[in-house]
């Protein structure tokens, strides 16, 4: 059984990311704050993707403060993966 994970972001407009992972796949994703259109589109594209694929595609994407909402999501998923291995 999975649970919603909350990740407090750093250096971006979104204040937190809430996500759920089941069997290594992102099944739910919500950004709190930030640019609603862009983050809604990213959420739609990412749901159903394997965690490793999301990390590979988004890690290192820069917007401001040497990070971005996409990069923060990758970091959140890396942190989650490290604690579940």
């Amino acid at each position: 059984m999975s649970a919603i994970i909350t990740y407090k972001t750093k250096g971006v407009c979104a204040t937190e990311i809430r996500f759920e992972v089941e069997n290594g796949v992102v099944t739910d994703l919500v950004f709190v704050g930030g640019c609603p259109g862009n983050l809604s589109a990213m959420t739609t594209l990412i749901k159903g993707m394997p965690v490793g694929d999301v990390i590979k595609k988004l890690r290192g994407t820069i917007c401001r403060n040497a990070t971005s909402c996409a990069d923060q999501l990758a970091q959140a998923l890396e942190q989650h993966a490290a604690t579940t291995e």
Side-chain angles (χ1 to χ4, degrees), residues 50-63:
V51 168
D53 289 353
V54 176
I55 293 168
K56 281 187 225 171
K57 288 180 182 286
L58 300 182
R59 188 69 157 112
T61 303
I62 304 303
C63 178

Side-chain angles (χ1 to χ4, degrees), residues 32-53:
V32 177
C35 305
N38 290 333
L39 296 175
S40 176
M42 188 166 55
T43 296
T44 299
L45 293 170
I46 289 170
K47 279 186 185 177
M49 284 183 68
V51 168
D53 289 353

Side-chain angles (χ1 to χ4, degrees), residues 2 4 7 13-14 18 22-23 25 27 29-30 35 41 51-52 54 67-69 76-78 80 82:
S2 63
I4 300 289
Y7 179 82
C13 298
R18 298 176 188 152
E22 290 183 35
N23 299 318
V25 173
T27 57
L29 176 61
V30 174
C35 305
V51 168
V54 176
T67 192
S68 67
C69 291
L77 291 171
E78 285 176 334
H80 171 70

